[in-house]
Amino acid sequence: MSGGGTIDFEIRESSQRVSATEREALLANPGFGRIFTDHMVTIRYAEGKGWYDARVEARAPIPMDPATAVLHYAQEIFEGMKAYRRADGRVGFFRPDANARRFAASAQRMAMAPLPEELFLDSIRQLVGIDQEWIPTSAEGSLYLRPFQYASEVFLGVRPAREYLYCVIASPVGPYFSGGLKPVTIWVSDDYTRAAPGGTGAAKCGGNYAASLLAQAQAAENGCDQVVYLDAVERKYVDELGGMNVFFVRADGSMFTPELNGSILPGITRDSIIQLAREQGRAVEERPVTIDEWRDGARSGEIVETFACGTAAVLTPIGTVRGVDGEFKLGDGGTGPVTAGLRQSLVDIQYGRSADPYGWTSTL
Ligand code: PLP
Ligand code: COI
């Protein structure tokens, strides 16, 4: 049971671990979110009892009553973070405390019981510890960790649930976009928005992603990889992509990114890039950015690069922006030097290859 601290985990090792040979074969080409490790973490919550029954156990289906609240009203949140295999064989983490904080903030927005941050961090260490052989050793490989929490109470009334299940699963991954550092083409959604003021845009809740799927399908029909969303009120300001924040680079090397306006997810990569870029002596503004400023700047040559960033996507250059009224390119549509440089600085810290003056990294 837990008020603010942590609790002991019961470890039930899987009796059906994937063999080393089969694992190596799977790790040769993991893709993204397709294969999973042997174990998972589960912790339960009940009102009046707190968090209890923390377990590391064999990864398995979770049986659910058809009246489980999450299936009806989508009271669910998740996180996305990675564990990295370092050159010296150790396992590294990148700002897991920031994921723990954001998870608690998402819980608060979705009227869910918040998991104590120490318990979140413990759960990550437990799962990575037992499944660390699943961390790819390939250059851009990592173990993607997916903590999530949902309303597990069996009840159809519309109110915050009184029972929750917290779970962590892990998936060895390669690059999110199959092209690697190849620039992506982005669709400006005219028909759909992602988040409105007062809504859930700043929370990492499953419903935000469900709402994005139709726009994403439309992007694919138009030959695009991802959607960029405009603000819901004026349809004028750039918010972010479906699963990534966005940055703009000017010809003079300065940068800007949409400010955290309550509708944008506060990305940990975004925050890290702002700090890294400033450290490099670049001016970085956080402020409203209009789609007109982006288009006109790209056409005049003032904006030379745009990139998307997030845990899954790392830094991905945006080469072309397409919408109902035409398209424009960033620079020559290729990968710009500022994007490539910042990406390298970030991954070098994440993989423990360069010094970390920020205290962002830790090891298992
Ligand atoms: N924006 C959205 C909507 C996301 O889903 C993500 C991914 O987590 C991000 C931005 C980037 O956040 P982070 O850098 O913390 O992964
Ligand atoms: C992440 O970057 O971790 C995300 O959650 C984006 C997407 C895979 C949902």
Side-chain angles (χ1 to χ4, degrees):
M1 212 178 294
S2 172
T6 191
I7 49 179
D8 288 337
F9 284 77
E10 184 188 335
I11 317 280
R12 299 184 182 175
E13 221 178 294
S14 169
S15 57
Q16 292 180 315
R17 284 184 185 236
V18 169
S19 73
T21 322
E22 198 182 329
R23 191 179 60 235
E24 290 313 315
L26 289 167
L27 290 179
N29 183 19
F32 188 93
R34 273 194 308 116
I35 61 173
F36 300 94
T37 63
D38 296 308
H39 297 88
M40 64 181 186
V41 162
T42 55
I43 313 178
R44 294 180 180 275
Y45 175 90
E47 201 171 276
K49 189 168 177 182
W51 292 95
Y52 68 100
D53 242 2
R55 286 187 199 161
V56 180
E57 58 194 328
R59 187 179 172 280
I62 304 174
M64 259 195 207
D65 187 284
T68 300
V70 67
L71 298 177
H72 302 272
Y73 311 125
Q75 201 189 7
E76 189 266 359
I77 55 170
F78 67 96
E79 266 306 320
M81 53 202 291
K82 287 173 169 174
Y84 304 87
R85 179 67 72 186
R86 296 180 170 207
D88 64 6
R90 286 187 301 166
V91 178
F93 295 107
F94 183 74
R95 307 189 69 180
D97 51 315
N99 294 96
R101 265 197 307 281
R102 188 169 64 188
F103 196 65
S106 296
Q108 202 268 339
R109 176 63 185 85
M110 301 303 285
M112 301 168 90
L115 184 76
E117 291 171 26
E118 251 326 297
L119 193 48
F120 178 100
L121 294 171
D122 246 15
S123 72
I124 299 301
R125 283 191 287 266
Q126 292 284 350
L127 185 62
V128 174
I130 198 162
D131 280 342
Q132 57 179 286
E133 281 162 359
W134 284 94
I135 307 176
T137 48
S138 55
E140 292 267 315
S142 59
L143 187 63
Y144 184 77
L145 301 162
R146 173 53 64 87
F148 61 100
Q149 178 181 329
Y150 65 83
S152 56
E153 185 181 357
V154 177
F155 182 62
L156 292 184
V158 183
R159 59 145 170 79
R162 293 176 183 150
E163 291 168 25
Y164 296 96
L165 182 77
Y166 167 78
C167 183
V168 194
I169 53 173
S171 173
V173 298
Y176 186 71
F177 293 110
S178 48
L181 234 193
K182 204 168 116 285
V184 293
T185 300
I186 299 294
W187 178 250
V188 184
S189 185
D190 216 42
D191 294 333
Y192 306 107
T193 57
R194 177 183 175 276
T200 57
K204 210 161 162 59
C205 59
N208 288 346
Y209 300 80
S212 76
L213 299 176
L214 193 53
Q216 178 63 33
Q218 212 173 47
E221 281 163 23
N222 286 281
C224 296
D225 304 286
Q226 283 283 317
V227 178
V228 63
Y229 291 96
L230 302 182
D231 77 285
V233 178
E234 298 186 61
R235 306 283 182 108
K236 184 172 147 188
Y237 297 99
V238 177
D239 269 354
E240 61 174 323
L241 276 58
M244 284 151 251
N245 296 115
V246 62
F247 279 85
F248 307 90
V249 183
R250 290 197 195 84
D252 67 4
S254 65
M255 295 167 50
F256 54 103
T257 188
E259 65 188 341
L260 299 178
N261 58 10
S263 300
I264 293 176
L265 192 81
I268 295 159
T269 317
R270 174 188 180 280
D271 182 74
S272 309
I273 290 294
I274 291 173
Q275 294 190 54
L276 282 172
R278 287 185 179 151
E279 189 67 25
Q280 291 180 357
R282 296 179 191 283
V284 185
E285 297 166 83
E286 298 177 72
R287 60 164 172 82
V289 180
T290 65
I291 181 79
D292 291 344
E293 177 181 10
W294 190 10
R295 184 194 311 104
D296 296 348
R299 287 190 175 146
S300 74
E302 195 196 336
I303 298 175
V304 287
E305 298 179 36
T306 301
F307 62 84
C309 68
T311 298
V314 194
L315 264 71
T316 297
I318 297 175
T320 306
V321 182
R322 190 172 292 159
V324 284
D325 46 8
E327 67 175 44
F328 59 93
K329 285 199 184 310
L330 279 303
D332 61 1
T335 302
V338 177
T339 303
L342 284 168
R343 186 182 207 278
Q344 196 62 47
S345 305
L346 179 69
V347 297
D348 281 348
I349 294 177
Q350 289 172 332
Y351 283 85
R353 291 190 292 255
S354 67
D356 168 21
Y358 310 95
W360 286 339
T361 56
S362 52
T363 51
L364 189 62

